Amino acid sequence: MKIEGKSYKTIWFINNLVKIIDQTKLPHQFVIKDLKTAKDAINAIKTMQVRGAPLIGATAAYGLVLSIIEKNDLSFIKKSSKELIASRPTAINLKWAVDRMMKKLSGVNNKDILKIALDEAKAITEEDEKFCKNIGLNGLKIIEDLAKKKKDTVNILTHCNAGWLATIDWGTATSPIYHAHQKGIKVHVWVDETRPRNQGANLTSYELNEEGISNTVITDNAGGILMQRGQVDMCIVGTDRTLSNGDVCNKIGTYLKALSAKDNNVPFYVALPSSTIDWNIKDHNQISIEERDSEELSHVEGIDENNEIKRVRIYPQKSKSLNLAFDVTPAKLVSGLITEKGICEASEKGLKGLFK
Ligand code: MRU
């Protein structure tokens, strides 16, 4: 998608370097950063210079390529793979990508390993891009139906950033919206600001603005009243891990939106590529929910009138904080899962019907 009219992907490889858009600087500064080592990739994931389930998976895949460039030695590569998987705990795409890379590299000799690793990392990014595009084409039908019925602008609420910045291109939740916009369907997006890191306000609103899509940033608590007033036609969110029973783990606050949507008969869809499905865990209590630094809550960053980035504390130093980064929305609150293969019920039967 575009930034200031120029097309970008979120990650690319050139001259033995991995290039990323540093998302901690957006929306005020657009900075392209070089990752030179596996440690750089791990750090970029931990500090959320790259974030979003599919993109951290792709970064981990390229992180392994960087570790081979650094030291073509199996025990070093294995150590890097473990550290990459541990860099963030909740999104399954991270483990999925590293496992896929390590499987491909198993038994390969030192001479060929770099080329094979690079080809596989590229395949992971190209596949994600294709899958996200297809998620958009599948989800487009839902928006088209709403637009036909309503004969007016379709209002869509989304949480966090499941946009192209969270993937390689297109996004998951935003892909149907981009496709609808490109077809000339009038859409407007309610963007949850998504405290504490404000990925909605800082990233989703930014990328929608760059594509010329009408959007309004709202507080995380505003979705309920908008739904009661009939101002939300549908919700679409992304996910970091969807269990085979259809339970959806996503950014903290997603669950409350799904409860509100249920109470107001607003369809609540989750968009995901198959790399986000966890076929192993059966009970959502087994998902490791990331707990992040309390400073993400106690401090906010913004730009002042002199164009200077400032970081300030917003509540007493003495106050305790708990910063859980994800929650789980039970399958019964999800109207459907929009995947690269089609839309299905949020259930084992639904998912197995699409992914044999
Ligand atoms: O903590 P983040 O910013 O990595 O969380 C991102 C989300 O929760 C997204 O909704 C999810 O990764 C889906 S990305 C297409």
Side-chain angles (χ1 to χ4, degrees):
M1 310 305 287
K2 292 195 188 79
I3 293 175
E4 289 184 3
K6 189 173 167 205
S7 287
Y8 283 94
K9 310 279 179 219
T10 52
I11 190 164
W12 63 101
F13 184 88
I14 187 163
N15 297 336
N16 280 359
L17 294 173
V18 175
K19 302 267 187 185
I20 57 161
I21 299 167
D22 182 349
Q23 300 194 19
T24 60
K25 299 276 191 280
L26 292 173
H28 306 301
Q29 294 168 332
F30 179 73
V31 177
I32 292 175
K33 199 180 151 105
D34 291 347
L35 307 181
K36 300 184 178 114
T37 62
K39 280 252 166 330
D40 287 350
I42 291 163
N43 186 49
I45 296 169
K46 278 191 178 160
T47 59
M48 294 175 67
Q49 288 166 350
V50 287
R51 27 73 46 211
L55 179 57
I56 59 178
T59 307
Y62 276 121
L64 278 178
V65 173
L66 293 174
S67 91
I68 296 167
I69 294 172
E70 223 178 318
K71 192 169 165 190
N72 191 343
D73 165 82
L74 193 59
S75 60
F76 181 70
I77 298 166
K78 276 190 181 154
K79 187 171 161 274
S80 300
S81 76
K82 286 200 183 107
E83 288 171 2
L84 282 161
I85 289 177
S87 56
R88 283 193 79 189
T90 304
I92 190 71
N93 303 60
L94 199 47
K95 183 173 168 358
W96 170 87
V98 173
D99 286 351
R100 174 166 160 177
M101 292 288 290
M102 291 307 280
K103 197 170 163 202
K104 194 81 188 176
L105 301 181
S106 125
V108 167
N109 64 43
N110 281 16
K111 194 166 57 67
D112 302 325
I113 195 165
L114 179 58
K115 184 181 180 313
I116 293 176
L118 189 54
D119 286 351
E120 193 63 5
K122 277 192 184 146
I124 285 173
T125 55
E126 280 164 15
E127 188 181 282
D128 188 71
E129 192 181 332
K130 193 173 93 195
F131 285 2
C132 284
K133 187 172 181 189
N134 286 342
I135 287 169
L137 292 169
N138 292 328
L140 169 66
K141 292 172 205 138
I142 302 169
I143 302 178
E144 273 175 336
D145 286 350
L146 283 169
K148 263 185 220 142
K149 252 191 244 153
K150 206 181 162 193
K151 296 188 179 69
D152 200 353
T153 302
V154 178
N155 287 299
I156 301 168
L157 183 142
T158 191
H159 192 68
C160 194
N161 174 261
W164 77 269
L165 289 166
T167 64
I168 310 303
D169 209 347
W170 292 102
T172 57
T174 53
S175 188
I177 298 169
Y178 287 133
H179 279 88
H181 178 71
Q182 287 178 5
K183 270 197 97 176
I185 297 170
K186 277 202 215 141
V187 283
H188 165 261
V189 185
W190 296 112
V191 179
D192 283 351
E193 64 172 344
T194 319
R195 281 281 292 148
R197 291 186 67 98
N198 296 327
Q199 292 96 324
N202 290 346
L203 304 175
T204 305
S205 180
Y206 169 78
E207 59 164 89
L208 291 171
N209 289 343
E210 294 296 310
E211 287 291 325
I213 297 183
S214 158
N215 69 91
T216 307
V217 177
I218 52 174
T219 64
D220 289 325
N221 303 323
I225 189 166
L226 290 174
M227 292 188 215
Q228 282 175 328
R229 287 177 171 179
Q231 289 175 276
V232 181
D233 298 304
M234 73 183 293
C235 301
I236 319 182
V237 298
T239 166
D240 287 78
R241 191 185 292 234
T242 288
L243 302 191
S244 56
N245 66 6
D247 286 352
V248 168
C249 182
N250 191 47
K251 181 53 55 191
I252 194 85
T254 303
Y255 175 39
L256 288 176
K257 292 297 129 63
L259 282 169
S260 249
K262 186 76 170 177
D263 195 42
N264 292 285
N265 289 320
V266 173
F268 186 91
Y269 285 94
V270 178
L272 66 150
S274 49
S275 52
T276 307
I277 304 169
D278 184 337
W279 294 102
N280 297 315
I281 287 184
K282 299 286 172 219
D283 175 357
H284 71 78
N285 290 307
Q286 289 168 3
I287 301 174
S288 166
I289 300 287
E290 179 177 17
E291 195 179 322
R292 293 188 62 86
D293 198 315
S294 61
E295 282 208 2
E296 289 185 350
L297 240 79
S298 59
H299 290 68
V300 286
E301 199 176 85
I303 196 157
D304 71 7
E305 58 282 2
N306 300 317
N307 266 345
E308 274 178 41
I309 309 272
K310 290 269 162 68
R311 188 168 173 273
V312 292
R313 163 178 285 282
I314 51 171
Y315 57 77
Q317 200 149 9
K318 265 190 185 169
S319 304
K320 283 197 275 178
S321 337
L322 172 66
N323 185 11
L324 295 174
F326 298 94
D327 62 23
V328 179
T329 300
K332 65 180 179 194
L333 300 179
V334 177
S335 311
L337 301 174
I338 309 171
T339 77
E340 74 269 17
K341 288 216 177 166
I343 302 169
C344 72
E345 188 185 271
S347 68
E348 180 136 15
K349 196 169 155 240
L351 279 169
K352 285 205 168 144
L354 288 182
F355 303 97
K356 298 276 186 307

